[in-house]
Amino acid sequence: MALFFPNGDSFATGSIRYTYQPATENETTNRIILPVKVAGRIIEAIVDTGAPYPILAPRIARQAGLDYLPTLERKIMLIRGMRLDGSIIRVNMTLPADEGDDLDVDATVFIPDVEEYWGNFPSFIGQIGFLERMRFAVDPATDTFYFGTLS
């Protein structure tokens, strides 16, 4: 299951199956969608290397009690054509492994303020604050997302 460097060191210590489908009913472009554990809850999140942060749907953040965590800073972000105000927080997110070891990531997350503007969009896993803190690889032949620590 795990991937290795030529010298035998582990590249990935865990893997998880992903779904490859449109994010919403109105979209036609397929996305890599992973299960991710946030505040003890499993959610689905789109892997988006162009997203500057993980972005949690406001409803998910509220239900998990994350909207009460200390705000690191306030930001306005352009997301899917919308300018959204929100908070940057730190929260532990876990990739629950189907094989190998789970991976905990101390993530820097953006939570939009207004749920009505977000609509039915899912949460996103972004490059800054999440993906940059791990090694990862995607195998489209088996719909497998491999991951491991940087150390």
Side-chain angles (χ1 to χ4, degrees), residues 66-77:
L66 301 178
D67 52 343
Y68 294 105
L69 290 177
T71 297
L72 300 175
E73 74 179 287
R74 299 281 302 157
K75 278 200 177 279
I76 298 172
M77 294 185 65

